[in-house]
PDB file of all heavy atoms in Angstrom:
ATOM      1  N   ALA A  90      14.260  24.465  -8.054  1.00 81.00           N
ATOM      2  CA  ALA A  90      15.078  24.231  -6.863  1.00 81.00           C
ATOM      3  C   ALA A  90      15.031  25.478  -5.988  1.00 81.00           C
ATOM      4  O   ALA A  90      14.953  26.600  -6.500  1.00 81.00           O
ATOM      5  CB  ALA A  90      16.517  23.932  -7.267  1.00 81.00           C
ATOM      6  N   PRO A  91      15.058  25.287  -4.667  1.00 82.00           N
ATOM      7  CA  PRO A  91      15.029  26.464  -3.791  1.00 82.00           C
ATOM      8  C   PRO A  91      16.254  27.352  -4.023  1.00 82.00           C
ATOM      9  O   PRO A  91      17.354  26.863  -4.254  1.00 82.00           O
ATOM     10  CB  PRO A  91      15.038  25.886  -2.384  1.00 82.00           C
ATOM     11  CG  PRO A  91      15.123  24.409  -2.508  1.00 82.00           C
ATOM     12  CD  PRO A  91      15.139  24.047  -3.948  1.00 82.00           C
ATOM     13  N   ILE A  92      16.019  28.643  -3.960  1.00 85.00           N
ATOM     14  CA  ILE A  92      17.096  29.621  -4.104  1.00 85.00           C
ATOM     15  C   ILE A  92      17.820  29.706  -2.760  1.00 85.00           C
ATOM     16  O   ILE A  92      17.163  29.850  -1.718  1.00 85.00           O
ATOM     17  CB  ILE A  92      16.523  30.999  -4.487  1.00 85.00           C
ATOM     18  CG1 ILE A  92      15.807  30.918  -5.840  1.00 85.00           C
ATOM     19  CG2 ILE A  92      17.596  32.066  -4.499  1.00 85.00           C
ATOM     20  CD1 ILE A  92      14.999  32.154  -6.181  1.00 85.00           C
ATOM     21  N   PRO A  93      19.155  29.607  -2.747  1.00 91.00           N
ATOM     22  CA  PRO A  93      19.875  29.766  -1.471  1.00 91.00           C
ATOM     23  C   PRO A  93      19.501  31.111  -0.840  1.00 91.00           C
ATOM     24  O   PRO A  93      19.554  32.151  -1.497  1.00 91.00           O
ATOM     25  CB  PRO A  93      21.346  29.735  -1.872  1.00 91.00           C
ATOM     26  CG  PRO A  93      21.375  29.054  -3.212  1.00 91.00           C
ATOM     27  CD  PRO A  93      20.070  29.388  -3.865  1.00 91.00           C
ATOM     28  N   SER A  94      19.082  31.065   0.412  1.00 93.00           N
ATOM     29  CA  SER A  94      18.591  32.284   1.041  1.00 93.00           C
ATOM     30  C   SER A  94      18.822  32.254   2.546  1.00 93.00           C
ATOM     31  O   SER A  94      19.163  31.219   3.109  1.00 93.00           O
ATOM     32  CB  SER A  94      17.096  32.451   0.740  1.00 93.00           C
ATOM     33  OG  SER A  94      16.384  31.314   1.181  1.00 93.00           O
ATOM     34  N   GLU A  95      18.626  33.399   3.157  1.00 95.00           N
ATOM     35  CA  GLU A  95      18.780  33.577   4.603  1.00 95.00           C
ATOM     36  C   GLU A  95      17.472  34.134   5.167  1.00 95.00           C
ATOM     37  O   GLU A  95      16.825  34.964   4.535  1.00 95.00           O
ATOM     38  CB  GLU A  95      19.907  34.570   4.905  1.00 95.00           C
ATOM     39  CG  GLU A  95      21.290  34.058   4.602  1.00 95.00           C
ATOM     40  CD  GLU A  95      21.786  33.072   5.645  1.00 95.00           C
ATOM     41  OE1 GLU A  95      21.418  33.187   6.830  1.00 95.00           O
ATOM     42  OE2 GLU A  95      22.533  32.161   5.261  1.00 95.00           O
ATOM     43  N   PRO A  96      17.095  33.715   6.389  1.00 96.00           N
ATOM     44  CA  PRO A  96      15.844  34.202   6.985  1.00 96.00           C
ATOM     45  C   PRO A  96      16.027  35.564   7.673  1.00 96.00           C
ATOM     46  O   PRO A  96      16.999  35.783   8.396  1.00 96.00           O
ATOM     47  CB  PRO A  96      15.511  33.113   8.004  1.00 96.00           C
ATOM     48  CG  PRO A  96      16.850  32.578   8.421  1.00 96.00           C
ATOM     49  CD  PRO A  96      17.721  32.669   7.195  1.00 96.00           C
ATOM     50  N   PHE A  97      15.073  36.455   7.444  1.00 96.00           N
ATOM     51  CA  PHE A  97      15.070  37.778   8.066  1.00 96.00           C
ATOM     52  C   PHE A  97      13.683  38.077   8.605  1.00 96.00           C
ATOM     53  O   PHE A  97      12.686  37.532   8.133  1.00 96.00           O
ATOM     54  CB  PHE A  97      15.460  38.866   7.062  1.00 96.00           C
ATOM     55  CG  PHE A  97      16.932  38.961   6.800  1.00 96.00           C
ATOM     56  CD1 PHE A  97      17.548  38.068   5.943  1.00 96.00           C
ATOM     57  CD2 PHE A  97      17.708  39.930   7.415  1.00 96.00           C
ATOM     58  CE1 PHE A  97      18.916  38.140   5.690  1.00 96.00           C
ATOM     59  CE2 PHE A  97      19.068  40.021   7.173  1.00 96.00           C
ATOM     60  CZ  PHE A  97      19.682  39.114   6.311  1.00 96.00           C
ATOM     61  N   VAL A  98      13.634  38.986   9.582  1.00 96.00           N
ATOM     62  CA  VAL A  98      12.374  39.497  10.115  1.00 96.00           C
ATOM     63  C   VAL A  98      12.353  40.994   9.839  1.00 96.00           C
ATOM     64  O   VAL A  98      13.265  41.721  10.242  1.00 96.00           O
ATOM     65  CB  VAL A  98      12.234  39.224  11.628  1.00 96.00           C
ATOM     66  CG1 VAL A  98      10.954  39.841  12.170  1.00 96.00           C
ATOM     67  CG2 VAL A  98      12.283  37.731  11.903  1.00 96.00           C
ATOM     68  N   ILE A  99      11.322  41.440   9.129  1.00 97.00           N
ATOM     69  CA  ILE A  99      11.167  42.853   8.787  1.00 97.00           C
ATOM     70  C   ILE A  99       9.878  43.336   9.427  1.00 97.00           C
ATOM     71  O   ILE A  99       8.802  42.794   9.163  1.00 97.00           O
ATOM     72  CB  ILE A  99      11.148  43.055   7.261  1.00 97.00           C
ATOM     73  CG1 ILE A  99      12.483  42.567   6.673  1.00 97.00           C
ATOM     74  CG2 ILE A  99      10.864  44.517   6.910  1.00 97.00           C
ATOM     75  CD1 ILE A  99      12.537  42.486   5.177  1.00 97.00           C
ATOM     76  N   SER A 100      10.005  44.343  10.296  1.00 96.00           N
ATOM     77  CA  SER A 100       8.845  44.889  11.011  1.00 96.00           C
ATOM     78  C   SER A 100       8.590  46.310  10.538  1.00 96.00           C
ATOM     79  O   SER A 100       9.511  47.116  10.431  1.00 96.00           O
ATOM     80  CB  SER A 100       9.101  44.902  12.519  1.00 96.00           C
ATOM     81  OG  SER A 100       9.362  43.595  12.981  1.00 96.00           O
ATOM     82  N   VAL A 101       7.339  46.594  10.245  1.00 97.00           N
ATOM     83  CA  VAL A 101       6.912  47.923   9.811  1.00 97.00           C
ATOM     84  C   VAL A 101       5.871  48.388  10.814  1.00 97.00           C
ATOM     85  O   VAL A 101       4.923  47.658  11.114  1.00 97.00           O
ATOM     86  CB  VAL A 101       6.301  47.872   8.389  1.00 97.00           C
ATOM     87  CG1 VAL A 101       5.862  49.257   7.955  1.00 97.00           C
ATOM     88  CG2 VAL A 101       7.282  47.264   7.396  1.00 97.00           C
ATOM     89  N   TYR A 102       6.029  49.614  11.346  1.00 97.00           N
ATOM     90  CA  TYR A 102       5.083  50.086  12.347  1.00 97.00           C
ATOM     91  C   TYR A 102       4.940  51.592  12.262  1.00 97.00           C
ATOM     92  O   TYR A 102       5.841  52.309  11.822  1.00 97.00           O
ATOM     93  CB  TYR A 102       5.505  49.652  13.755  1.00 97.00           C
ATOM     94  CG  TYR A 102       6.958  49.936  14.060  1.00 97.00           C
ATOM     95  CD1 TYR A 102       7.346  51.107  14.703  1.00 97.00           C
ATOM     96  CD2 TYR A 102       7.950  49.039  13.669  1.00 97.00           C
ATOM     97  CE1 TYR A 102       8.684  51.372  14.958  1.00 97.00           C
ATOM     98  CE2 TYR A 102       9.296  49.295  13.923  1.00 97.00           C
ATOM     99  CZ  TYR A 102       9.646  50.466  14.569  1.00 97.00           C
ATOM    100  OH  TYR A 102      10.973  50.726  14.802  1.00 97.00           O
ATOM    101  N   GLY A 103       3.746  52.048  12.643  1.00 96.00           N
ATOM    102  CA  GLY A 103       3.436  53.469  12.593  1.00 96.00           C
ATOM    103  C   GLY A 103       1.974  53.663  12.288  1.00 96.00           C
ATOM    104  O   GLY A 103       1.161  52.755  12.490  1.00 96.00           O
ATOM    105  N   PRO A 104       1.621  54.859  11.777  1.00 96.00           N
ATOM    106  CA  PRO A 104       0.211  55.124  11.468  1.00 96.00           C
ATOM    107  C   PRO A 104      -0.349  54.077  10.506  1.00 96.00           C
ATOM    108  O   PRO A 104       0.292  53.715   9.523  1.00 96.00           O
ATOM    109  CB  PRO A 104       0.245  56.511  10.806  1.00 96.00           C
ATOM    110  CG  PRO A 104       1.528  57.130  11.262  1.00 96.00           C
ATOM    111  CD  PRO A 104       2.485  55.990  11.460  1.00 96.00           C
ATOM    112  N   ASP A 105      -1.555  53.597  10.821  1.00 95.00           N
ATOM    113  CA  ASP A 105      -2.180  52.575   9.991  1.00 95.00           C
ATOM    114  C   ASP A 105      -2.515  53.151   8.619  1.00 95.00           C
ATOM    115  O   ASP A 105      -3.012  54.260   8.501  1.00 95.00           O
ATOM    116  CB  ASP A 105      -3.449  52.054  10.668  1.00 95.00           C
ATOM    117  CG  ASP A 105      -3.989  50.811   9.997  1.00 95.00           C
ATOM    118  OD1 ASP A 105      -3.204  50.090   9.353  1.00 95.00           O
ATOM    119  OD2 ASP A 105      -5.204  50.557  10.129  1.00 95.00           O
ATOM    120  N   ARG A 106      -2.190  52.375   7.577  1.00 93.00           N
ATOM    121  CA  ARG A 106      -2.479  52.742   6.189  1.00 93.00           C
ATOM    122  C   ARG A 106      -2.936  51.488   5.469  1.00 93.00           C
ATOM    123  O   ARG A 106      -2.536  50.402   5.812  1.00 93.00           O
ATOM    124  CB  ARG A 106      -1.214  53.270   5.494  1.00 93.00           C
ATOM    125  CG  ARG A 106      -0.585  54.490   6.113  1.00 93.00           C
ATOM    126  CD  ARG A 106       0.732  54.800   5.408  1.00 93.00           C
ATOM    127  NE  ARG A 106       0.555  54.834   3.966  1.00 93.00           N
ATOM    128  CZ  ARG A 106       0.698  55.914   3.202  1.00 93.00           C
ATOM    129  NH1 ARG A 106       1.036  57.049   3.758  1.00 93.00           N
ATOM    130  NH2 ARG A 106       0.530  55.848   1.895  1.00 93.00           N
ATOM    131  N   ASN A 107      -3.710  51.662   4.426  1.00 94.00           N
ATOM    132  CA  ASN A 107      -4.204  50.501   3.696  1.00 94.00           C
ATOM    133  C   ASN A 107      -3.230  49.969   2.660  1.00 94.00           C
ATOM    134  O   ASN A 107      -3.497  48.948   2.038  1.00 94.00           O
ATOM    135  CB  ASN A 107      -5.550  50.814   3.038  1.00 94.00           C
ATOM    136  CG  ASN A 107      -5.423  51.778   1.875  1.00 94.00           C
ATOM    137  OD1 ASN A 107      -4.407  52.456   1.720  1.00 94.00           O
ATOM    138  ND2 ASN A 107      -6.454  51.853   1.067  1.00 94.00           N
ATOM    139  N   ASP A 108      -2.095  50.623   2.467  1.00 96.00           N
ATOM    140  CA  ASP A 108      -1.166  50.213   1.405  1.00 96.00           C
ATOM    141  C   ASP A 108       0.155  49.643   1.906  1.00 96.00           C
ATOM    142  O   ASP A 108       1.042  49.343   1.117  1.00 96.00           O
ATOM    143  CB  ASP A 108      -0.887  51.390   0.478  1.00 96.00           C
ATOM    144  CG  ASP A 108      -0.303  52.614   1.192  1.00 96.00           C
ATOM    145  OD1 ASP A 108      -0.291  52.640   2.441  1.00 96.00           O
ATOM    146  OD2 ASP A 108       0.116  53.561   0.496  1.00 96.00           O
ATOM    147  N   ILE A 109       0.288  49.440   3.198  1.00 96.00           N
ATOM    148  CA  ILE A 109       1.568  48.976   3.744  1.00 96.00           C
ATOM    149  C   ILE A 109       1.893  47.557   3.277  1.00 96.00           C
ATOM    150  O   ILE A 109       2.968  47.295   2.735  1.00 96.00           O
ATOM    151  CB  ILE A 109       1.583  49.057   5.288  1.00 96.00           C
ATOM    152  CG1 ILE A 109       1.496  50.528   5.730  1.00 96.00           C
ATOM    153  CG2 ILE A 109       2.841  48.407   5.856  1.00 96.00           C
ATOM    154  CD1 ILE A 109       1.294  50.715   7.220  1.00 96.00           C
ATOM    155  N   VAL A 110       0.971  46.629   3.488  1.00 96.00           N
ATOM    156  CA  VAL A 110       1.233  45.235   3.124  1.00 96.00           C
ATOM    157  C   VAL A 110       1.517  45.124   1.629  1.00 96.00           C
ATOM    158  O   VAL A 110       2.505  44.523   1.211  1.00 96.00           O
ATOM    159  CB  VAL A 110       0.056  44.321   3.540  1.00 96.00           C
ATOM    160  CG1 VAL A 110       0.246  42.913   2.981  1.00 96.00           C
ATOM    161  CG2 VAL A 110      -0.077  44.284   5.056  1.00 96.00           C
ATOM    162  N   GLY A 111       0.668  45.714   0.805  1.00 96.00           N
ATOM    163  CA  GLY A 111       0.849  45.640  -0.644  1.00 96.00           C
ATOM    164  C   GLY A 111       2.147  46.255  -1.110  1.00 96.00           C
ATOM    165  O   GLY A 111       2.825  45.712  -1.997  1.00 96.00           O
ATOM    166  N   THR A 112       2.519  47.387  -0.533  1.00 97.00           N
ATOM    167  CA  THR A 112       3.750  48.072  -0.938  1.00 97.00           C
ATOM    168  C   THR A 112       4.976  47.205  -0.691  1.00 97.00           C
ATOM    169  O   THR A 112       5.801  47.001  -1.585  1.00 97.00           O
ATOM    170  CB  THR A 112       3.894  49.412  -0.181  1.00 97.00           C
ATOM    171  OG1 THR A 112       2.812  50.265  -0.552  1.00 97.00           O
ATOM    172  CG2 THR A 112       5.215  50.094  -0.492  1.00 97.00           C
ATOM    173  N   PHE A 113       5.090  46.675   0.529  1.00 97.00           N
ATOM    174  CA  PHE A 113       6.278  45.878   0.849  1.00 97.00           C
ATOM    175  C   PHE A 113       6.237  44.498   0.184  1.00 97.00           C
ATOM    176  O   PHE A 113       7.267  43.993  -0.255  1.00 97.00           O
ATOM    177  CB  PHE A 113       6.496  45.809   2.360  1.00 97.00           C
ATOM    178  CG  PHE A 113       6.948  47.132   2.912  1.00 97.00           C
ATOM    179  CD1 PHE A 113       6.048  48.003   3.499  1.00 97.00           C
ATOM    180  CD2 PHE A 113       8.265  47.534   2.766  1.00 97.00           C
ATOM    181  CE1 PHE A 113       6.450  49.251   3.957  1.00 97.00           C
ATOM    182  CE2 PHE A 113       8.687  48.779   3.219  1.00 97.00           C
ATOM    183  CZ  PHE A 113       7.776  49.640   3.821  1.00 97.00           C
ATOM    184  N   ALA A 114       5.055  43.912   0.065  1.00 97.00           N
ATOM    185  CA  ALA A 114       4.941  42.626  -0.633  1.00 97.00           C
ATOM    186  C   ALA A 114       5.370  42.769  -2.090  1.00 97.00           C
ATOM    187  O   ALA A 114       6.011  41.874  -2.650  1.00 97.00           O
ATOM    188  CB  ALA A 114       3.510  42.095  -0.544  1.00 97.00           C
ATOM    189  N   HIS A 115       5.063  43.897  -2.700  1.00 97.00           N
ATOM    190  CA  HIS A 115       5.461  44.151  -4.091  1.00 97.00           C
ATOM    191  C   HIS A 115       6.992  44.228  -4.203  1.00 97.00           C
ATOM    192  O   HIS A 115       7.588  43.629  -5.107  1.00 97.00           O
ATOM    193  CB  HIS A 115       4.814  45.446  -4.594  1.00 97.00           C
ATOM    194  CG  HIS A 115       5.084  45.733  -6.017  1.00 97.00           C
ATOM    195  ND1 HIS A 115       4.466  45.058  -7.046  1.00 97.00           N
ATOM    196  CD2 HIS A 115       5.943  46.608  -6.599  1.00 97.00           C
ATOM    197  CE1 HIS A 115       4.919  45.509  -8.193  1.00 97.00           C
ATOM    198  NE2 HIS A 115       5.817  46.454  -7.949  1.00 97.00           N
ATOM    199  N   ILE A 116       7.616  44.942  -3.286  1.00 97.00           N
ATOM    200  CA  ILE A 116       9.092  45.039  -3.293  1.00 97.00           C
ATOM    201  C   ILE A 116       9.694  43.646  -3.122  1.00 97.00           C
ATOM    202  O   ILE A 116      10.620  43.262  -3.841  1.00 97.00           O
ATOM    203  CB  ILE A 116       9.594  45.987  -2.176  1.00 97.00           C
ATOM    204  CG1 ILE A 116       9.164  47.421  -2.486  1.00 97.00           C
ATOM    205  CG2 ILE A 116      11.118  45.887  -2.038  1.00 97.00           C
ATOM    206  CD1 ILE A 116       9.390  48.386  -1.324  1.00 97.00           C
ATOM    207  N   PHE A 117       9.164  42.875  -2.166  1.00 97.00           N
ATOM    208  CA  PHE A 117       9.692  41.530  -1.930  1.00 97.00           C
ATOM    209  C   PHE A 117       9.548  40.669  -3.182  1.00 97.00           C
ATOM    210  O   PHE A 117      10.468  39.963  -3.573  1.00 97.00           O
ATOM    211  CB  PHE A 117       8.992  40.865  -0.739  1.00 97.00           C
ATOM    212  CG  PHE A 117       9.166  41.589   0.571  1.00 97.00           C
ATOM    213  CD1 PHE A 117       8.166  41.556   1.527  1.00 97.00           C
ATOM    214  CD2 PHE A 117      10.312  42.315   0.859  1.00 97.00           C
ATOM    215  CE1 PHE A 117       8.308  42.207   2.743  1.00 97.00           C
ATOM    216  CE2 PHE A 117      10.469  42.976   2.067  1.00 97.00           C
ATOM    217  CZ  PHE A 117       9.460  42.925   3.009  1.00 97.00           C
ATOM    218  N   GLY A 118       8.405  40.714  -3.807  1.00 96.00           N
ATOM    219  CA  GLY A 118       8.181  39.925  -5.016  1.00 96.00           C
ATOM    220  C   GLY A 118       9.136  40.289  -6.132  1.00 96.00           C
ATOM    221  O   GLY A 118       9.672  39.408  -6.819  1.00 96.00           O
ATOM    222  N   GLU A 119       9.368  41.588  -6.326  1.00 96.00           N
ATOM    223  CA  GLU A 119      10.298  42.036  -7.374  1.00 96.00           C
ATOM    224  C   GLU A 119      11.718  41.533  -7.130  1.00 96.00           C
ATOM    225  O   GLU A 119      12.467  41.295  -8.069  1.00 96.00           O
ATOM    226  CB  GLU A 119      10.323  43.565  -7.445  1.00 96.00           C
ATOM    227  CG  GLU A 119       9.108  44.170  -8.081  1.00 96.00           C
ATOM    228  CD  GLU A 119       9.189  45.694  -8.116  1.00 96.00           C
ATOM    229  OE1 GLU A 119       9.932  46.296  -7.293  1.00 96.00           O
ATOM    230  OE2 GLU A 119       8.514  46.279  -8.987  1.00 96.00           O
TER     231      GLU A 119
END
Side-chain angles (χ1 to χ4, degrees):
I92 298 169
S94 57
E95 290 284 329
F97 281 79
V98 177
I99 299 170
S100 301
V101 180
Y102 48 94
D105 191 25
R106 300 174 50 115
N107 71 344
D108 58 349
I109 295 171
V110 172
T112 297
F113 289 98
H115 184 75
I116 293 170
F117 299 148
E119 286 180 337

